[in-house]
Every structure is written in C-alpha cells, then in structure tokens.
Amino acid sequence: MTGTAHPRPLARQWSPGRPVDVAATWGTLQRGAGDPTWIGADGVLWRGVRTQLGPVTLRLSSRPSEGRVVAHAWGEAQAAESLLDRLPQMLGEDDDPSSFVPRHELVATALARRGAGWRVPRTGLVLESLVPAIIEQKVTGQEAFGGYRRIVRRLGEPAPGPGRELGLYVAPSPGRLRGVPSWEWLRMGVSPQRADTVMRVVRLADRLAPVCDLPLAQAHRRLRAVPGVGVWTAAETAQRALGDADAVSFGDYHVARNIGWALTGKELDDDGLAELLEPYRGHRYRVQRLLELAGVMRPRRGPRMAPRSHLPVR
C-alpha cells in the first residue's frame, strides 16, 4: 500500500467481554481463497462491503489480550457509520449458546476448541449472502467461487479509501446486476437457471433487504417465496445474514454425509441427518459449523470433478 492520503476513517472499538475469533465467525462470508471482497493478513481483515447506503471499506483487527475489537471504515459517512453500528451483531453478539448441550463427545470437543471465540454471525446484509448462495447452487466449490469472483471483478467496483490500492472490491449493486444480459452470465460461468434466480432476487432487493428484521420462520418463508430459492439457499443465507443457529444446510451434497460419518460412523442422507440432529433443535447449525471448524469430514474417494463450462456447444 502506498502513502497516498485518504479521508480520515470512522473508528469504533468493541469490548465484548469474551474472546472473538473473527476468522472463525466470519469465515463463511469469504467465498473462496480468491474472493475480491476479502483480504486477510497479519491478524488484520480488510473487507469491501456493499451496504444499503453505499460501499464501505472495513478494516478489522481483534486484540484478544486487550479484550477488544478495533474497526475502521471508509466510505460515505452514513454507510460507514451504519456498518460500524452493527459490528457487534455482525460478530455474533446476539447469538446465545447458553442452552446448547453437546450430546456427542465429538461435538463437545469441537465446542471446547472453538466455542469460546466463535458465534453465529448476523450481518443483516441479506443480498451479500443470498446472491453468492444462488451462484453456489448445485455446482462444485471451484465453479461457485470462480463464478462469484468473475461477477465481482467485472461488475463490482473498487472499495473506497485504501481499499482501491489494496485491490479490494465491493460486490455489485442490485441495479448493476439487473442490467446483465443472459450471454454475460454464461461468460462468467453462471448457468441460465442460477442467473434467472439472481435476476429475480435483485428485482426484489427492496423487499428482501428487511428480511433480517423478521422472525426467523417468517424470514425463511419470504426468502423461499422467490422461485429458485429453496431450503438450502435460504439456510445458507440465514446462517450468515440472520444469525440463525438452527439453519442446517439440508440439501447439501456433503453436509449430511460429513456429519453422519463424524457422529455415527456412516454417511447419512437429509432424512437421517434431520433425525440425528433433532435433539439439537434450535442449535442444529451450531453443530454443523463447530464440526466444520474442527475439520471433521469423511474421507473423500475418487477424483475431483472437473469444472464445467456453461457456454453453448458449437
């Protein structure tokens, strides 16, 4: 980063009274190692964030020895201030694990290892989580992350302040996405079915943004009322934007198999997973994420699937 002067950022400190593991809490917000909206190094996280009031560059550092999190934000004053005001909730302040009782030794071990600093985040940024979740529907992680990376670089904008020099981007606005022609989605590696769902979502952006303020059951219903947004996509959004500790990723190719293998020694389908996790109701996603953070997954067999092209064959 050069020595170019920037407007003074807004700053905020939060003393939560507990450890805060920013990487674990926000890890699901990063869409692959090449996510253009995310730069993390030396204990500092830089994020390009699209708020309803405009783009913001956020710099976040956790200082566990001092018991505080320090944040700086560049952008239009209202946008930067609103983001900083929500920072405690974004880092899981409202998440209450006090009634969570591990019923498996492996879950108890994962909780002991990662539970102190991790909480379910509640970003309140519905489209930030919903659009990438749609891009990730029924494709490999490589395809999903590659498609989202191309979308942000082609249609997003450089993050304000020092974000530009760092090469940080902000995801495109709903208005920008509404203008993307069908052939451009194909060039970015997004199939027509997923592109159509994204277009429906961004046309309803004003109606979907307030979902974060609804009761969780009602929020899920409103998300799933959009054609193409099913149980999995709504859950992936709720885990990040709504702070839903119960939103299991049913319908995921790996989740039921991994959790089943970890807790019972055999792979399960969604029905088996629902039965297994029923005693954890209210905290079922908490189990899923704690096991993910502990690195628990079944052994993989066979070669990795090659990425597919969604361009028409000539």
Side-chain angles (χ1 to χ4, degrees):
M1 181 173 167
T2 69
T4 304
H6 298 287
R8 185 181 297 276
L10 296 180
R12 196 69 50 87
Q13 296 187 28
W14 177 45
S15 299
R18 62 171 176 85
V20 176
D21 188 336
V22 174
T25 300
W26 276 5
T28 57
L29 304 183
Q30 183 181 17
R31 305 294 178 164
D35 186 343
T37 70
W38 182 289
I39 298 173
D42 301 324
V44 175
L45 174 63
W46 293 85
R47 291 199 60 213
V49 183
R50 168 76 61 188
T51 76
Q52 286 186 272
L53 299 173
V56 175
T57 291
L58 179 67
R59 181 187 188 275
L60 194 67
S61 62
S62 180
R63 302 179 183 178
S65 62
E66 302 173 16
R68 61 193 178 111
V69 176
V70 179
H72 296 83
W74 291 260
E76 292 295 329
Q78 276 190 304
E81 188 168 3
S82 70
L83 186 65
L84 291 175
D85 285 345
R86 293 203 311 272
L87 190 63
Q89 289 74 32
M90 294 177 75
L91 287 168
E93 182 184 49
D94 295 335
D95 181 36
D96 182 9
S98 61
S99 62
F100 178 60
V101 179
R103 298 173 183 270
H104 297 84
E105 183 178 353
L106 192 59
V107 175
T109 300
L111 178 64
R113 288 179 181 174
R114 306 306 297 266
W118 172 76
R119 293 291 186 275
V120 181
R122 183 173 179 267
T123 69
L125 302 171
V126 175
L127 289 185
E128 179 190 72
S129 295
L130 180 55
V131 170
I134 294 167
I135 302 300
E136 293 171 10
Q137 290 175 346
K138 298 181 180 179
V139 295
T140 66
Q142 184 180 5
E143 290 176 278
F145 297 149
Y148 186 67
R149 182 171 61 249
R150 287 186 286 272
I151 289 169
V152 173
R153 290 199 178 278
R154 292 187 190 185
L155 306 174
E157 61 190 274
R164 178 183 293 271
E165 296 167 28
L166 290 166
L168 195 65
Y169 276 75
V170 175
S173 67
R176 182 73 178 91
L177 290 173
R178 283 194 289 267
V180 179
S182 58
W183 56 264
E184 182 68 10
W185 288 110
L186 288 172
R187 286 182 58 188
M188 293 186 294
V190 180
S191 64
Q193 182 179 10
R194 290 178 291 147
D196 288 347
T197 303
V198 172
M199 295 296 278
R200 293 186 198 103
V201 161
V202 296
R203 291 188 187 111
L204 294 170
D206 291 341
R207 185 168 181 266
L208 292 174
V211 159
C212 59
D213 298 321
L214 298 176
L216 287 173
Q218 187 177 347
H220 279 265
R221 286 195 297 271
R222 181 168 298 185
L223 289 171
R224 292 171 57 190
V226 181
V229 176
V231 172
W232 181 86
T233 307
E236 291 284 310
T237 303
Q239 295 161 7
R240 296 160 171 84
L242 309 183
D244 189 347
D246 200 48
V248 185
S249 299
F250 289 118
D252 190 282
Y253 179 79
H254 297 293
V255 168
R257 292 170 172 82
N258 283 339
I259 296 177
W261 179 84
L263 300 185
T264 71
K266 61 182 180 180
E267 298 181 7
L268 298 176
D269 59 14
D270 277 352
D271 289 339
L273 179 63
E275 182 178 353
L276 177 65
L277 294 184
E278 181 59 31
Y280 290 104
R281 181 170 288 276
H283 297 279
R284 291 177 297 175
Y285 170 63
R286 195 180 307 280
V287 174
Q288 174 185 329
R289 183 60 179 154
L290 284 170
L291 293 176
E292 289 171 354
L293 289 170
V296 177
M297 62 180 61
R298 73 195 192 286
R300 299 291 177 88
R301 302 178 182 87
R304 183 184 296 271
M305 184 183 295
R308 297 164 291 182
S309 170
H310 299 284
L311 292 172
V313 178
R314 295 181 178 180

